[in-house]
Amino acid sequence: MKQSEHFTFASEAEVEDIGGGLKRQMLGYNHELMAVKIYFDKGAIGYNHAHRHSQVSYVVEGEFHFNIDGVTKILKPGDSCFIPPHTDHGATCPTGGVLIDTFSPAREDFIEDDK
């Protein structure tokens, strides 16, 4: 896996429409770590799923209803959550909002060039 440039400028980084009212902007990564900005439209759902990566999600704006391993909590700006590897999780965003998701190791499936 390649790595990102040392600096990422929001005005220049591609915002990819991933469907369902979600958009993704890569912030920085190498094979060990990845940070991604996720934009949720009002009412968008990040459907429950699991993956091999550790994940921390930080709420930048909006209200998110996070379900982690069958437990749902409401997170607001400044709140965060940790999702261990192989743990079922998802989120809904009734207000519209923005998350910063970090993954370790990096999500290879998010990098088009390496597929």
Side-chain angles (χ1 to χ4, degrees), residues 4-5 11 21 29 32 34-35 38-39 43 58 89-90 93 97-98 106 111:
S4 64
E5 298 294 325
S11 62
Y29 61 90
E32 297 174 334
M34 175 179 278
I38 309 290
Y39 300 88
Y58 173 81
H89 63 283
C93 186
V98 177
I111 307 298

Side-chain angles (χ1 to χ4, degrees), residues 36-95:
V36 182
K37 192 174 202 177
I38 309 290
Y39 300 88
F40 280 68
D41 288 345
K42 183 177 182 178
I45 299 170
Y47 290 98
N48 277 21
H49 64 287
H51 44 72
R52 68 181 186 92
H53 312 83
S54 294
Q55 177 177 339
V56 173
S57 292
Y58 173 81
V59 179
V60 176
E61 63 184 62
E63 178 180 290
F64 289 83
H65 298 202
F66 263 90
N67 178 309
I68 302 173
D69 208 15
V71 176
T72 300
K73 300 284 184 180
I74 297 173
L75 277 66
K76 296 183 178 182
D79 295 338
S80 60
C81 60
F82 170 71
I83 303 158
H86 308 290
T87 301
D88 191 53
H89 63 283
T92 60
C93 186
T95 61

Side-chain angles (χ1 to χ4, degrees), residues 1-8 26-35 106-108 111 113-114:
M1 168 184 271
K2 64 180 183 174
Q3 71 178 32
S4 64
E5 298 294 325
H6 292 297
F7 299 97
T8 301
M26 304 303 292
L27 301 179
Y29 61 90
N30 68 7
H31 68 284
E32 297 174 334
L33 179 67
M34 175 179 278
R107 293 284 304 261
E108 299 89 352
I111 307 298
D113 300 3
D114 293 340

